[in-house]
Amino acid sequence: MRSIWKGAISFGLVTIPVKLYSATEQKDVTFHQVHREDGGRIKYKRVCSVDGEEVPYSDIAKGYELATGEMVVLTDEDFADLPLTSSRRIDVLQFTPADQIDPIYFAKSYYLEPDGQGAKPYVLLRDALERSGQVAVVKVALRQRESLAALRVRDGVFVLETMLWPDEIREADFGFLEEDVDVRPQELKMAESLIDTMVADFDPTEYKDAYREALQEVIEAKVAGKEVVAPETPAEAGPAVDLMAALRASVEAAKRERQGPAAAKSPGRAAKAASGAAAASGAAAAKTGPDGTGEEEKAPKKRKTRRSA
């Protein structure tokens, strides 16, 4: 890894010089736009919409369009004069419990490495932060943009999680939040049972990007001149007619999955079992009351989901 930024953590009167590295990388199969006939790369020219002339990078500036359609042109000098008080500094603003920060705020992760003589104060703050069980809320300027960020410890290293500003988080304004939705107690219990059956420790190494692997195989087959065969995909089951039966079948399928690979017949087993159980439960459903419950059960009151203010 190569450092992409140098600065310092400012913690009270303590300054900790650090280097910043990208902690993540997006792995994907990249493509170029090419001419179908000869494979030649497609190139684009930067052309001015006013005079039609090609414009070199040195003559390109940033423009902000007004509501009137007029353009305000900003130069590098305009940006250089902007006050970024936290430039080259990671200013610690406060410490707070990690569970008080909604993960929706997190944007990108970076590692911080102590620079020069910063190892001792780095380790001191790291150990103190771990012992406190808190994360540091900081402010930092990266690439001409000031951001809030969270500073936490992972595997003995500081991780800087840049955060979005509150006005950058969209409100979840959906119509169903105002609707009356009936959920029967037995359906809720069965859903909870399904969750309990599928509880496990998270191990990210158990999962893989099957699409990227299959795409890489297609490319390799093209290179080798082999015939490309599309992998079989299981048929998708339609929506369950009986929610309770689908939940019950899902719980049973999840239990069989836990018993070992021998019990797993196909990837679509749970969906097929749910559909079969839903169809078979039609007769049993006819014996229940109009609300779907037995004679001794009382229909629960309708619960109206409201958005918080």
Side-chain angles (χ1 to χ4, degrees):
M1 293 187 295
R2 294 190 305 171
S3 65
I4 59 175
W5 182 88
K6 284 187 177 183
I9 300 174
S10 179
F11 171 47
L13 298 178
V14 178
T15 299
I16 309 172
V18 292
K19 297 179 181 178
L20 182 138
Y21 303 81
S22 292
T24 60
E25 58 180 341
Q26 193 80 28
K27 289 192 174 182
D28 200 358
V29 179
T30 57
F31 295 98
H32 297 293
Q33 289 187 325
V34 298
H35 187 196
R36 187 187 301 274
E37 299 299 326
D38 54 21
R41 291 277 300 274
I42 303 299
K43 296 183 178 180
Y44 295 91
K45 294 183 178 180
R46 299 173 298 277
V47 178
C48 176
S49 62
V50 177
D51 58 20
E53 297 293 328
E54 186 174 357
V55 182
Y57 272 119
S58 58
D59 291 341
I60 295 179
K62 291 182 172 64
Y64 181 84
E65 187 174 4
L66 302 177
T68 58
E70 296 175 295
M71 194 71 67
V72 177
V73 179
L74 299 176
T75 65
D76 292 339
E77 290 74 16
D78 295 321
F79 288 100
D81 293 337
L82 293 177
L84 286 177
T85 56
S86 59
S87 180
R88 296 294 170 184
R89 288 206 319 272
I90 301 173
D91 289 325
V92 177
L93 305 178
Q94 68 178 74
F95 295 92
T96 190
D99 58 8
Q100 291 187 6
I101 302 177
D102 191 325
I104 198 172
Y105 282 95
F106 294 142
K108 186 170 175 55
S109 303
Y110 298 92
Y111 287 133
L112 293 179
E113 176 193 24
D115 189 21
Q117 302 299 315
K120 184 172 182 178
Y122 181 102
V123 171
L124 175 63
L125 178 58
R126 179 200 68 186
D127 293 349
L129 192 61
E130 276 194 306
R131 288 167 65 92
S132 71
Q134 308 284 310
V135 297
V137 177
V138 304
K139 186 170 64 172
V140 61
L142 298 174
R143 297 187 178 93
Q144 295 294 328
R145 189 179 192 276
E146 193 170 68
S147 300
L148 279 177
L151 194 63
R152 63 183 180 89
V153 181
R154 181 180 187 271
D155 296 335
V157 177
F158 275 130
V159 176
L160 183 75
E161 305 274 7
T162 56
M163 299 166 58
L164 302 172
W165 295 102
D167 60 356
E168 295 177 314
I169 306 297
R170 294 175 175 175
E171 181 183 359
D173 187 10
F174 301 110
F176 81 95
L177 295 172
E178 296 292 339
E179 297 176 0
D180 292 330
V181 180
D182 290 330
V183 176
R184 295 187 295 169
Q186 58 268 44
E187 291 173 338
L188 183 59
K189 290 181 179 179
M190 188 60 68
E192 292 172 344
S193 178
L194 175 58
I195 292 173
D196 292 339
T197 305
M198 299 177 67
V199 168
D201 293 332
F202 176 62
D203 181 4
T205 61
E206 294 181 355
Y207 305 94
K208 62 182 181 179
D209 188 347
Y211 176 82
R212 177 161 55 93
E213 291 182 358
L215 181 57
Q216 193 65 51
E217 291 178 0
V218 170
I219 295 173
E220 292 173 358
K222 282 277 190 178
V223 172
K226 299 178 182 178
E227 180 183 359
V228 179
V229 180
E232 295 184 2
T233 55
E236 296 185 1
V241 177
D242 189 318
L243 178 60
M244 188 67 178
L247 288 169
R248 185 180 294 108
S250 298
V251 171
E252 294 173 356
K255 289 180 178 178
R256 289 196 299 271
E257 184 77 26
R258 287 299 181 87
Q259 292 174 358
K265 294 181 180 180
S266 69
R269 184 188 68 259
K272 293 178 181 178
S275 298
S281 63
K287 296 181 181 180
T288 62
D291 61 347
T293 60
E295 293 180 358
E296 296 180 0
E297 293 180 344
K298 294 182 179 180
K301 295 181 179 179
K302 291 184 178 180
R303 181 177 180 179
K304 190 169 185 179
T305 306
R306 294 288 187 184
R307 290 177 295 162
S308 59

